Amino acid sequence: MTSNTINRDLAPILRIDFPPADRLGRGKIALLEHIRETGSISAAGRAMDMSYRRAWLLVDALNRMFDEPAVEPQRGGKQGGGAQLTAFGEQLVARFRAMEVRLEDALADDLAWLNARRAPPS
């Protein structure tokens, strides 16, 4: 592979629409993963180059989408507050990532067929 060659593999992207206006996709799942790693909504937002307000609004939207919260705040203390995933939040991340793998597996042959027939880059 030369330095001028780009990765041309096709990849499906999973997004689940919750009518009328909510969505669950890789961005919200990545935010949950960052919250798990950092223990903080603000640190998770920074890791994704988003404001605390934007991260908080996404967490709030996630918590309202389901019948139980995905993230719960941790009260202050010696080291201040934070946030952690609930058991449901952990299951949500695991199931979404598993759905992505199943989607890729299910579409692998069709994507390879499409990829083999793509026009060369101009």
Side-chain angles (χ1 to χ4, degrees):
M1 198 151 136
T2 68
S3 60
N4 291 352
T5 304
I6 59 170
N7 182 352
R8 299 193 48 197
D9 290 340
L10 302 177
I13 296 175
L14 178 62
R15 185 184 86 184
I16 301 168
D17 291 339
F18 287 70
D22 289 323
R23 292 182 190 92
L24 179 64
R26 60 188 182 167
K28 285 180 180 152
I29 296 299
L31 181 62
L32 291 177
E33 290 170 328
H34 284 293
I35 291 169
R36 178 199 300 139
E37 293 166 11
T38 64
S40 164
I41 295 172
S42 60
R46 282 192 302 274
M48 296 180 70
D49 292 325
M50 71 174 68
S51 69
Y52 170 76
R53 176 168 168 70
R54 177 74 178 137
W56 187 90
L57 289 172
L58 290 172
V59 166
D60 186 56
L62 275 164
N63 282 344
R64 286 184 289 104
M65 285 172 66
F66 300 99
D67 62 357
E68 56 186 298
V71 176
E72 62 184 13
Q74 299 296 295
R75 292 285 176 212
K78 194 171 188 181
Q79 300 182 334
Q84 70 178 21
L85 298 190
T86 62
F88 170 75
E90 292 287 354
Q91 290 175 333
L92 180 61
V93 170
R95 284 182 174 265
F96 187 89
R97 292 304 185 198
M99 285 188 282
E100 286 182 317
V101 169
R102 288 194 308 274
L103 177 64
E104 288 177 18
D105 290 347
L107 297 177
D109 290 342
D110 294 313
L111 292 174
W113 184 87
L114 289 170
N115 203 39
R117 285 152 182 83
R118 290 175 66 190
S122 49

